[in-house]
Amino acid sequence: MAAVAATAATKGNAGGGGGRAGAGEGSGPRKKKGPGPVATAYLVIYNVVMTAGWLVIAVGFVRAYLAKGSYHSLYYSIEKPLKFFQTGALLEILHCAIGIVPSSVVLTSFQVMSRVFLIWAVTHSVKEVQSEDSVLLFVIAWTITEIIRYSFYTFSLLNHLPYIIKWARYTLFIVLYPMGVTGELLTIYAALPFVRQAGLYSISLPNKYNFSFDYYAFLILVMISYIPLFPQLYFHMIHQRRKVLSRTEEHKKFD
C-alpha cells in the first residue's frame, strides 16, 4: 500500500488525462480514442479543481509555517482541505469504471484507497500521530506530486502539455516517492502502540459471528507489504521516465 507510488508515475490516466495524453505520447500509427467533448469538459474541470485544491493545501502549509515559525504540528492547518481533496480522488475510480479514462479500475482503486486509508484509518483515527513530523513528510510529498499530476492531466486534455510539467511528473518522483513512503511507514509505526492500547478497530472472540480481527497486526502487514512493492514500483517508474522523456527528446530532434 505504498500510497505515493499511486500518484508518482504508475497511476496512468485515472485523473482524466487519459486517452489524449497517451495518444500524444504514443509512437505507433494507432491513436487511442480520447473521451467525448462532454467527458473532456468534465475531466478538465475536475482536474483544475483538484489542482487548485492541492495548491490551497500548499499555500496553507506555507502560511502556517510563516505564522508559527516552526514546522511542528502544521498538519492541523491543512487537515480539512487535505481530507476533502484526497477523499475527492475516489471519483477517479468512478472515471475508470464508466470508461471515460482508460485506466484499470482495480489498480486505480488500490492506489486511491491506500491514501484514503492512511488519511482516515491511521492519521484521523489515531490523533496522537497527527503531530508527528512523519505526517508532514508524506503530506508534503503528496502535495507536490498531486499539483504536478493534476496539472499534467489538465494540459494533456487541452492538448497543450508544457515540457516542464511532463519533466516534473516523470522526474521529481525520484525524491518524492522515497520521501512519501518514509513518511507513511513512520506514521503507521508511530500509530502502532496507540492502536494496540486502545484495541482500535479490532474484534475479539468470542462473539456471535465467531470472527476476530486484529487491526494492530493488520497495520504491521501493511508495513511489510512495502518491502516488495517499493522497489518494484520505483524501478518501474524509472523505466517509464526513460521511455517517455527519451521519446520527447526524439520528437524535439525531428522538429
Side-chain angles (χ1 to χ4, degrees):
M1 299 180 71
V4 168
T7 52
T10 61
K11 199 161 189 173
N13 307 314
R20 297 192 179 187
E25 294 172 7
S27 56
R30 288 171 52 187
K31 289 188 177 182
K32 295 180 181 179
K33 184 179 180 181
V38 175
T40 298
Y42 161 74
L43 290 172
V44 168
I45 294 171
Y46 172 80
N47 284 290
V48 168
V49 169
M50 294 299 282
T51 303
W54 286 95
L55 281 170
V56 167
I57 294 170
V59 171
F61 256 129
V62 174
R63 291 182 61 183
Y65 176 77
L66 293 176
K68 295 181 178 180
S70 171
Y71 63 87
H72 295 293
S73 301
L74 290 183
Y75 172 79
Y76 303 105
S77 64
I78 51 85
E79 180 180 6
K80 290 182 179 179
L82 175 65
K83 289 177 177 176
F84 180 82
F85 287 103
Q86 185 53 68
T87 305
L90 290 170
L91 286 173
E92 297 180 19
I93 301 173
L94 178 63
H95 298 166
C96 298
I98 63 178
I100 61 175
V101 293
S103 295
S104 164
V105 176
V106 174
L107 181 59
T108 301
S109 298
F110 171 79
Q111 293 167 340
V112 172
M113 291 305 298
S114 65
R115 278 190 171 202
V116 173
F117 171 83
L118 194 62
I119 285 292
W120 290 102
V122 179
T123 310
H124 171 78
S125 300
V126 186
K127 306 294 184 184
E128 292 83 355
V129 305
Q130 294 177 2
S131 59
E132 293 285 334
D133 294 342
S134 60
V135 173
L136 292 184
L137 201 60
F138 76 73
V139 172
I140 289 172
W142 289 8
T143 301
I144 298 172
T145 299
E146 295 297 64
I147 290 171
I148 296 169
R149 184 170 73 92
Y150 286 115
S151 297
F152 177 93
Y153 291 145
T154 301
F155 285 108
S156 294
L157 285 161
L158 297 173
N159 292 322
H160 185 70
L161 178 63
Y163 177 77
I164 185 63
I165 293 180
K166 178 186 284 189
W167 179 89
R169 173 164 165 75
Y170 288 99
T171 301
L172 296 186
F173 77 86
I174 295 173
V175 174
L176 295 175
Y177 182 18
M179 174 181 169
V181 166
T182 300
E184 293 165 22
L185 285 171
L186 290 176
T187 300
I188 296 173
Y189 180 77
L192 288 177
F194 302 104
V195 169
R196 190 171 200 175
Q197 182 180 6
L200 184 67
Y201 299 142
S202 296
I203 302 173
S204 302
L205 291 172
N207 57 67
K208 63 180 182 178
Y209 300 107
N210 196 30
F211 170 80
S212 66
F213 175 73
D214 189 341
Y215 188 54
Y216 175 85
F218 176 76
L219 288 180
I220 292 176
L221 290 176
V222 169
M223 295 178 68
I224 293 173
S225 73
Y226 279 70
I227 297 173
L229 287 175
F230 175 79
Q232 181 179 352
L233 291 172
Y234 190 71
F235 287 114
H236 171 72
M237 291 186 288
I238 292 289
H239 175 73
Q240 287 294 103
R241 178 182 187 274
R242 290 172 181 166
K243 184 169 66 174
V244 171
L245 295 186
S246 64
R247 187 183 301 149
T248 302
E249 291 299 324
E250 290 176 4
H251 287 323
K252 282 185 176 181
K253 289 178 182 179
F254 286 116
D255 292 340

